[in-house]
Amino acid sequence: MDRKGAIKRIESYFDDGGFFADLARRVAVHSESQDPAQADELMRYLTGEMQPGFEALGFTCRIFPNPVARGGPFLVAERHEADDQTTVMSYGHGDVVRGYDDQWSEGLDPWVLEKRADRWYGRGTADNKGQHSINMAAMGAVIEERGALGFNAVVLIETGEEAGSPGLREFCQANQALFPADVFIASDGPRLHPDRPTIFMGSRGVFSFDLEVKLRDGGHHSGNWGGLLANPGIILAHAIASLTTASGEILVPEWRPPPISNSVRDAVAGLTIDGGAHAPEIDPEWGEPGLAAAEKVFAWNSFEVLAFKTGNPENPVNAVPPHAKAHCSIRFVPPCDPVDFVAGLRRHLDAAGFTMVQITPEADHMAATPPDPDHPWARWGVASLDATSGKPTAGLPNLGGSLPNDVFSELLGLPTIWVPHSYVSCSQHAPDEHILEATSREALQIMTGLFWDLGDSNGGRPG
């Protein structure tokens, strides 16, 4: 009964096909939270996969309705071993983005897990079914080897993260007694490099909004009216162009964060962003001048135009369109506040003469959480991962993407440790989403080692 034995168990589980079989069942559930027609699938994922899986590990499970009408249900799984033991809270989300079934590569189905070379394809493999399945299995390997976890655990599985986590904050606020934890450990997002174990403690926030120009009802023939009618597509294009330089440097003052602190700058110094063999080539001149690539992603704000439409792109006609619309987002670091984003944007557009541009913020956004790369729990996690993998773990101040981390770190007051199991070229949210076989196997190993150390009285954990 030892750490090596637990890791050997998890290796056998992977090598014998157990992980593939478990993940295949979970991928097959069409738990698309962005599609109201799939509400029953959200519940089916909890009752058909999560509840029996956790109960097999000795957890007690309860399913709760969402306090927000448009939100999906929650599952809380608890295993309490002793009052004097460390309690860890973990998290995952069972929902996925839309499948986009007809956009996947030939022969691939988003709801059927398929292995091709070192890639396992399927919707939710990377985000987030594969990641919380790895952590569940790692806990199981520890229980099998030790006969117990050696710590208390409470796991929250939500079903609305891809829709902005509606109701998550309200649920945790009303049920704080369910989560009497000492530390939060979960998995989402990508590693810095596919072969390099990674830890981060915070995340950038995300704020999405629409920009729209509506000038009239209906289109008008461009031969008869061109040059006489203002074109909303051109107006909106110029309005958007005023928000950044031609190379992406943000020009709206309220969208720019304070200078990067020395502690964060030191934490990301020397980090190389590498998405693996099929990653896009980084454009070094894009974004904030003078910042390294890692600083742009982990320590600065970015503005993106995610979609832009005017007229009918699929079937264009010779008519001046009546309106134009763009869907945009800002990824931001603390202490930036989305309330200031809207007010600053309105002032900027009005001053530039674009008073006709309408701003419509999305109802939900994810807040940014301040990083603490030198926290004792972060150092402990890095040491555990190093011991298992034999590699230097990348310790990031925060994730470049966004997670509802503020609910756990600020509302519940927990130190948060995220150990991502995906990589940046996984096609997350896009057709052909996948995980890497070798990375997943190593993820099972390091999480088994981490949970073993958490329950080991000699594991050197904080507190």
Side-chain angles (χ1 to χ4, degrees):
M1 186 185 76
D2 58 16
R3 194 179 194 273
K4 291 182 179 179
I7 292 174
K8 185 175 181 180
R9 286 178 184 273
I10 206 68
E11 291 170 346
S12 296
Y13 164 74
F14 183 90
D15 297 341
D16 295 343
F19 180 64
F20 189 95
D22 286 344
L23 185 56
R25 290 194 320 274
R26 293 164 187 168
V27 165
V29 181
H30 295 221
S31 50
E32 300 161 286
S33 59
Q34 298 167 341
D35 183 356
Q38 300 289 19
D40 289 346
E41 291 290 275
L42 301 179
M43 181 63 78
R44 186 165 79 88
Y45 189 78
L46 298 184
T47 59
E49 284 298 326
M50 294 293 96
Q51 185 170 348
F54 279 113
E55 287 178 347
L57 300 180
F59 282 72
T60 300
C61 296
R62 285 183 285 174
I63 294 177
F64 296 86
N66 197 304
V68 174
R70 62 188 178 84
F74 300 99
L75 179 142
V76 176
E78 180 184 15
R79 180 179 169 118
H80 184 84
E81 294 188 353
D83 290 343
D84 60 348
Q85 288 183 347
T86 296
T87 299
V88 62
M89 180 182 180
S90 193
Y91 161 88
H93 64 89
D95 66 311
V96 297
V97 298
R98 295 178 185 271
Y100 303 117
D101 301 37
D102 60 347
Q103 299 180 33
W104 288 55
S105 296
E106 185 176 357
L108 293 178
D109 183 327
W111 313 110
V112 177
L113 186 63
E114 179 164 334
K115 169 181 163 59
R116 291 187 179 181
D118 189 41
R119 294 184 172 192
W120 293 7
Y121 291 90
R123 177 61 82 217
T125 49
D127 189 18
N128 173 258
K129 294 177 179 179
Q131 302 218 33
H132 62 251
S133 292
I134 284 171
N135 294 353
M136 287 176 65
M139 287 188 186
V142 171
I143 292 170
E144 289 178 3
E145 180 70 13
R146 179 182 275 145
L149 281 173
F151 57 90
N152 304 315
V154 57
V155 184
L156 172 64
I157 304 293
E158 73 158 316
T159 56
E161 195 268 354
E162 301 296 4
S165 293
L168 177 62
R169 170 170 285 273
E170 292 85 346
F171 175 75
C172 290
Q173 175 76 58
N175 295 278
Q176 294 191 48
L178 293 175
F179 311 112
D182 300 294
V183 64
F184 174 95
I185 300 175
S187 298
D188 205 341
R191 291 179 168 194
L192 183 68
H193 181 278
D195 297 329
R196 188 172 182 186
T198 300
I199 277 181
F200 60 88
M201 294 195 71
S203 68
R204 288 202 294 183
V206 61
F207 173 72
S208 299
F209 57 95
D210 291 335
L211 297 178
E212 193 163 9
V213 176
K214 297 180 180 179
L215 298 185
R216 60 189 68 90
D217 294 326
H220 294 272
H221 193 281
S222 60
N224 299 329
W225 294 96
L228 301 176
L229 297 180
N231 188 303
I234 294 174
I235 292 173
L236 186 55
H238 278 273
I240 293 172
S242 76
L243 305 179
T244 75
T245 65
S247 59
E249 179 186 355
I250 293 172
L251 297 178
V252 181
E254 291 82 358
W255 291 8
R256 296 177 60 83
I260 300 172
S261 68
N262 290 334
S263 62
V264 172
R265 195 178 293 275
D266 290 344
V268 302
L271 296 180
T272 300
I273 298 172
D274 186 346
H278 301 282
E281 184 176 349
I282 291 174
D283 298 308
E285 302 305 317
W286 185 260
E288 183 69 15
L291 298 187
E295 291 173 335
K296 294 177 183 179
V297 173
F298 303 125
W300 199 252
N301 293 358
S302 64
F303 166 68
E304 302 295 340
V305 178
L306 304 178
F308 189 122
K309 183 175 181 178
T310 188
N312 189 342
E314 293 78 16
N315 296 289
V317 296
N318 290 319
V320 179
H323 66 272
K325 185 176 183 179
H327 184 66
C328 309
S329 75
I330 302 172
R331 300 280 179 172
F332 61 96
V333 297
C336 295
D337 188 336
V339 173
D340 298 328
F341 293 164
V342 176
L345 175 59
R346 184 73 273 164
R347 285 191 292 270
H348 175 92
L349 291 175
D350 291 351
F354 297 112
T355 56
M356 74 294 291
V357 177
Q358 301 174 24
I359 308 168
T360 305
E362 280 195 353
D364 297 304
H365 73 274
M366 290 186 179
T369 50
D372 187 2
D374 199 40
H375 193 282
W377 276 107
R379 295 198 303 270
W380 170 84
V382 166
S384 175
L385 268 58
D386 287 352
T388 303
S389 70
K391 308 171 186 177
T393 298
L396 307 182
N398 53 260
L399 175 68
S402 303
L403 294 164
N405 190 60
D406 63 303
V407 174
F408 314 116
S409 65
E410 296 179 8
L411 175 63
L412 298 181
L414 301 176
T416 53
I417 295 177
W418 295 85
V419 186
H421 304 323
S422 183
Y423 77 121
V424 294
S425 299
C426 67
S427 298
Q428 172 189 1
H429 290 187
D432 295 353
E433 178 182 349
H434 61 277
I435 53 175
L436 298 177
E437 186 173 70
T439 301
S440 299
R441 189 177 191 273
E442 182 179 64
L444 286 161
Q445 294 170 324
I446 63 175
M447 292 308 295
T448 300
L450 186 77
F451 289 137
W452 182 273
D453 293 342
L454 188 64
D456 189 345
S457 60
N458 297 317
R461 62 182 180 272

